[in-house]
Amino acid sequence: MYIEQGYKGDIGLWKYLIIPGSFIGLMIVNYIAILYSPVSVEDSMAQMVDTLGSNLVLILLLAPLAVGLFMVLGWTKLVHSQSITSLTTSRKKIDWKRVFFAFGIWGLITIVLTFVGIYLSPEDYQFNFKLMPFLSLALIGIILIPLQTSFEEYLFRGYMMQGLGIAAKNRWIPLVVTSVLFGLMHLGNPEVEKLGFGIMIYYIGTGFFLGIITLMDEGLELALGFHAANNLIGALLLTADWTAFQTDSLYRDVSDPILGWDVLVPVFIVFPILLIIFSKKYGWTNWKEKLTGKVLSEEEFLKLDN
């Protein structure tokens, strides 16, 4: 009963609107600014990297989201009087084994898929390893990327999932709304400008995958681990001139960007396989009820919780 964990805090509908509303407002303003800017996102990023260096640009991109994590957790604790544990999971304590399992399995898959791509099309990749810049990247990434990805998970799959679920009294509305909003958050990424809106299949599809594993597992742990591995391992392995993270990674993609199999395979093949693996490992059952069923009232939840 993950969504119902929100009852353990001081609910108040207005309290749930402040943080998501502010973030969505910033997203809209940012997208409008990009839409009407005379300079493309790719060119703007290139100018920043040339002026400041890729590692400093990465810090500037990640730091506000890292701060956002502490804002969400602080708001939950101070305004809602809800524990971080109940925002994270329906279990009595956060299951770190789940976090590291999801991190490990998706990290391994990301490494395998990346090197398969390099093996099949070596002309599309350039070895980019430089020891000191890479070590600096690794340090920045290990510190800031898990904070950035945790912010997104706690905001969308945690805070908004619980708030919307309690308001709507069902599970499918928060699943759909948070997944679509998560995808739309990436509209300002240079990948969208370069590849077109078809890339939104990946972003929204990833949002649905993360929402499904959160609801089925009754906690954020798997989503936290997966998302951290996705961004951290990706940043360390591969970069390109047209991606949001332009880093001193091991390899640089020098191919002409096209919307291809690498967008569709994760969503329609790899993610379903991961759902099967997770469901077998953690004994998931009753999928329909957990993904679309009703959310208990506060009185019903408190009776069961006591």
Side-chain angles (χ1 to χ4, degrees), residues 234-253:
L236 293 174
L237 281 181
L238 189 63
T239 190
D241 292 336
W242 44 270
T243 57
F245 285 176
Q246 295 187 27
T247 63
D248 293 303
S249 57
L250 288 178
Y251 285 89
R252 178 175 293 275
D253 185 343

Side-chain angles (χ1 to χ4, degrees), residues 121-159:
S121 304
E123 69 280 2
D124 291 339
Y125 300 89
Q126 183 181 81
F127 190 60
N128 189 54
F129 178 71
K130 300 178 186 69
L131 180 60
M132 293 311 298
F134 181 80
L135 291 178
S136 298
L137 165 64
L139 180 62
I140 294 166
I142 289 169
I143 294 172
L144 288 180
I145 287 178
L147 297 178
Q148 170 249 324
T149 57
S150 295
F151 163 67
E152 294 176 12
E153 290 311 308
Y154 274 105
L155 177 64
F156 288 99
R157 257 69 62 179
Y159 192 77

Side-chain angles (χ1 to χ4, degrees), residues 45 48 54-70 136-152 227 231-232 235 244-247:
M45 287 288 294
M48 289 178 63
S54 60
N55 282 334
L56 182 54
V57 170
L58 184 63
I59 291 173
L60 293 175
L61 290 174
L62 295 174
L65 300 177
V67 172
L69 170 64
F70 296 104
S136 298
L137 165 64
L139 180 62
I140 294 166
I142 289 169
I143 294 172
L144 288 180
I145 287 178
L147 297 178
Q148 170 249 324
T149 57
S150 295
F151 163 67
E152 294 176 12
H227 202 161
N231 288 26
L232 178 58
F245 285 176
Q246 295 187 27
T247 63

Side-chain angles (χ1 to χ4, degrees), residues 264-284:
L264 302 178
V265 166
V267 175
F268 296 107
I269 298 177
V270 182
F271 290 172
I273 292 173
L274 277 177
L275 288 176
I276 294 171
I277 292 172
F278 288 148
S279 69
K280 296 295 184 183
K281 181 172 178 61
Y282 298 112
W284 295 349

Side-chain angles (χ1 to χ4, degrees), residues 78-121:
L78 299 175
V79 177
H80 288 275
S81 300
Q82 182 183 352
S83 71
I84 305 305
T85 299
S86 63
L87 180 65
T88 308
T89 186
S90 60
R91 287 166 273 277
K92 291 183 179 180
K93 60 182 181 179
I94 298 171
D95 187 347
W96 291 101
K97 289 182 179 180
R98 277 172 152 85
V99 177
F100 291 121
F101 177 75
F103 183 95
I105 193 170
W106 186 242
L108 179 61
I109 290 172
T110 301
I111 292 169
V112 169
L113 290 178
T114 299
F115 281 101
V116 166
I118 293 170
Y119 176 79
L120 293 176
S121 304

